[in-house]
Amino acid sequence: MSKQIVARAALVTGGGSGVGFAFAQQLAATGCHVLICGRDPDRLANAAARIPGLRTISADLAVPADVDRVAATAAGIAGLDLVINNAGVQFDRQWMTSDADELLDDVTEELAANLIAPLRLTARLLPALALAPSATIVNVTSALGLVPKRSAPVYCAAKAGLIAATTSLRYQLAVDAPTVRIVDAMLPLVDTAMTAGRGRGKISPDAAAAAVLTGLHKRQAHRIRVGKVGILLGMQRISPTLAARVVAD
């Protein structure tokens, strides 16, 4: 990624590790003031020790009150002009053999963290972002929202919802807040703790974050497709059945 400044001040969710940490590290290297949130205080402390000037806040984005607390903290940062909704959780469950109560707890958490939290943060932070000369909201999505896999139906549904909501909000903001753009950044399989033991051909968190931040330099970019995502989506257009086979498990 170039050292060109993408933002003056940013909130990155899920910033204690993985792609979120890579976002925070690369943004801070350009002089951006960065706030991250995450559920693990130890990871947040480690991130703060590695990134000078990093601000952290412990929060569980599946809890609405925690989302609001993160939003209030971020809104108080002077010059806030970038929000990266990166945090996510994924549970692989076999519905027929799972305990119904445990399954529904997972469903609630996945939808809350992966779909409701980004939308809630967006709603809370739009007034602050609209004060900036230009601002960006990045929703980190997945091709699984368009080509779902067998083992994670709720995660795939949440990402599908986030893709759709991002597109609809783009239409609204173009009229109501033209200085705020909203970007769908679709990542391929990234080598993180969440994907441990899953799939092959993963890219590194650093590469994923760099590709998204490079894409943000193009002010007209509203969709960023990283790595092999473009190939999969092209395959889906030509042969949906073949694309489904590629990601089915």
Side-chain angles (χ1 to χ4, degrees), residues 63-237:
V63 178
D66 278 18
V67 177
D68 290 348
R69 184 164 50 83
V70 170
T73 301
I77 299 174
L80 181 73
D81 56 0
L82 175 63
V83 174
I84 301 181
N85 287 308
N86 161 78
V89 296
Q90 182 180 146
F91 301 123
D92 290 357
R93 278 191 176 273
Q94 300 299 316
W95 281 45
M96 282 299 297
T97 56
S98 295
D99 175 82
D101 289 335
E102 292 179 0
L103 177 65
L104 291 173
D105 285 344
D106 286 352
V107 168
T108 299
E109 182 173 348
E110 279 188 288
L111 290 176
N114 297 327
L115 178 58
I116 297 173
L119 298 182
R120 192 177 185 97
L121 274 175
T122 297
R124 296 295 190 198
L125 289 174
L126 267 175
L129 293 170
L131 296 176
S134 64
T136 303
I137 301 163
V138 177
N139 287 332
V140 175
T141 66
S142 167
L144 295 176
L146 300 175
V147 189
K149 67 175 183 175
R150 176 185 61 83
S151 60
V154 182
Y155 178 85
C156 296
K159 290 299 184 181
L162 189 58
I163 292 166
T166 302
T167 301
S168 294
L169 285 171
R170 182 177 306 122
Y171 301 150
Q172 287 195 23
L173 295 179
V175 176
D176 299 332
T179 60
V180 182
R181 66 170 169 162
I182 187 165
V183 175
D184 171 2
M186 190 174 288
L187 301 185
L189 198 61
V190 182
D191 189 10
T192 66
M194 188 176 77
T195 65
R198 300 173 182 168
R200 301 184 300 274
K202 301 174 186 178
I203 68 171
S204 71
D206 286 340
V212 173
L213 295 179
T214 296
L216 293 183
H217 290 316
K218 302 172 183 177
R219 287 301 307 170
Q220 299 307 310
H222 297 299
R223 295 181 180 89
I224 298 173
R225 303 294 183 248
V226 177
K228 296 179 181 179
V229 164
I231 296 174
L232 179 61
L233 296 185
M235 185 187 302
Q236 185 201 33
R237 286 191 292 271

